[in-house]
Coordinates of all heavy atoms in Angstrom, one line a residue:
A70 N -1.8 57.8 110.8 CA -1.0 58.3 111.9 C 0.4 58.5 111.5 O 1.1 59.4 111.9 CB -1.3 57.6 113.2
C77 N -2.7 58.8 118.7 CA -4.2 58.7 118.9 C -4.6 60.1 119.3 O -5.7 60.5 118.8 CB -4.6 57.6 119.8 SG -4.1 56.0 119.2
D79 N -3.9 63.0 119.0 CA -4.0 64.2 118.1 C -5.3 64.3 117.4 O -5.6 65.3 117.0 CB -2.9 64.0 117.0 CG -1.5 64.4 117.5 OD1 -1.2 65.5 117.9 OD2 -0.7 63.4 117.5
H81 N -8.2 62.1 118.7 CA -9.3 61.5 119.5 C -9.2 62.1 120.9 O -8.2 62.1 121.6 CB -9.1 60.0 119.6 CG -9.3 59.4 118.4 ND1 -10.5 59.1 117.8 CD2 -8.2 58.8 117.4 CE1 -10.3 58.5 116.5 NE2 -9.1 58.4 116.3
T86 N -5.9 58.6 128.3 CA -6.5 58.7 129.6 C -7.6 57.6 129.7 O -8.1 57.0 128.7 CB -7.1 60.0 129.8 OG1 -8.3 60.2 129.1 CG2 -6.1 61.2 129.4
S93 N -15.7 61.2 119.3 CA -15.9 62.6 119.2 C -15.3 63.2 117.9 O -14.4 62.8 117.4 CB -15.2 63.1 120.4 OG -15.1 64.6 120.3
T95 N -13.6 65.7 116.5 CA -12.6 66.7 116.6 C -12.3 67.3 115.4 O -12.6 66.8 114.3 CB -11.4 66.3 117.3 OG1 -10.7 65.2 116.3 CG2 -11.6 65.6 118.5
V110 N -10.7 59.9 95.4 CA -11.2 60.7 94.4 C -10.0 60.7 93.4 O -10.1 60.4 92.1 CB -11.9 62.0 94.6 CG1 -12.1 62.8 93.4 CG2 -13.2 61.8 95.2
G118 N -8.3 53.9 89.6 CA -8.6 53.3 91.0 C -7.2 52.7 91.5 O -7.3 52.2 92.6
T137 N 7.3 73.5 99.2 CA 8.6 74.1 98.5 C 9.8 73.2 99.0 O 10.0 72.9 100.1 CB 8.8 75.6 98.9 OG1 7.7 76.3 98.5 CG2 10.0 76.1 98.1
I138 N 10.6 72.8 98.1 CA 11.8 72.1 98.5 C 12.9 72.8 99.0 O 13.0 74.1 98.6 CB 12.3 71.3 97.2 CG1 13.4 70.3 97.6 CG2 12.8 72.3 96.2 CD1 13.9 69.4 96.5
L143 N 17.7 69.6 97.9 CA 17.9 69.4 96.5 C 19.3 69.0 96.0 O 19.4 68.2 95.3 CB 17.6 70.8 95.8 CG 17.6 70.8 94.3 CD1 16.7 69.9 93.5 CD2 17.4 72.3 93.8
G145 N 21.5 67.8 98.2 CA 22.0 66.9 99.2 C 22.1 65.4 98.7 O 22.0 65.0 97.6
E150 N 14.0 56.6 99.6 CA 12.7 55.7 99.8 C 12.6 54.8 98.7 O 12.8 55.1 97.5 CB 11.6 56.7 99.9 CG 11.5 57.7 101.1 CD 10.5 58.6 101.1 OE1 9.6 58.7 100.0 OE2 10.2 59.4 102.0
D153 N 7.4 50.3 96.8 CA 6.8 49.0 97.3 C 6.9 47.8 96.3 O 7.2 46.8 96.7 CB 5.2 49.2 97.7 CG 5.0 50.2 98.7 OD1 6.0 50.5 99.4 OD2 3.9 50.5 99.0
T165 N 15.1 31.7 92.2 CA 15.3 30.4 92.6 C 16.7 30.2 93.1 O 17.1 29.5 94.1 CB 15.1 29.4 91.4 OG1 13.7 29.5 91.1 CG2 15.4 28.0 91.7
Q179 N 17.4 18.6 102.8 CA 17.1 17.3 103.5 C 16.9 17.7 105.0 O 15.9 17.1 105.7 CB 18.3 16.4 103.3 CG 17.9 14.9 103.9 CD 19.0 14.0 103.6 OE1 19.8 14.3 102.7 NE2 18.9 12.8 104.2
G195 N 10.7 46.3 123.9 CA 9.9 47.1 122.9 C 10.6 48.4 122.8 O 11.5 48.8 123.5
A211 N 4.9 22.8 111.7 CA 4.7 22.8 110.2 C 3.2 22.3 109.8 O 2.7 21.4 110.5 CB 5.8 21.8 109.6
S256 N -6.5 41.4 105.0 CA -5.2 41.3 104.4 C -4.2 41.0 105.5 O -3.3 40.1 105.2 CB -4.8 42.6 103.9 OG -5.7 43.1 102.9
S268 N 8.7 30.4 109.1 CA 9.3 29.9 110.3 C 9.9 28.5 109.8 O 10.9 28.0 110.7 CB 8.4 29.6 111.4 OG 7.8 30.8 111.8
L277 N 5.1 32.3 98.9 CA 4.5 33.3 98.0 C 4.5 32.9 96.7 O 5.1 31.9 96.2 CB 5.6 34.6 98.2 CG 5.6 35.2 99.5 CD1 6.9 36.0 99.6 CD2 4.4 35.9 99.9
P301 N -2.5 36.0 98.6 CA -3.9 36.3 98.7 C -4.2 37.6 99.4 O -3.4 38.1 100.1 CB -4.5 35.2 99.4 CG -3.5 34.0 99.4 CD -2.2 34.8 99.4
V368 N 16.5 27.1 121.4 CA 15.6 26.6 120.5 C 15.6 25.1 120.6 O 16.7 24.5 120.5 CB 16.0 27.0 119.0 CG1 15.0 26.4 118.1 CG2 15.9 28.5 118.9

Side-chain angles (χ1 to χ4, degrees):
C77 299
D79 286 298
H81 297 281
T86 73
S93 176
T95 62
V110 170
T137 304
I138 187 170
L143 176 63
E150 292 177 358
D153 293 353
T165 298
Q179 184 175 355
S256 301
S268 296
L277 293 164
V368 177

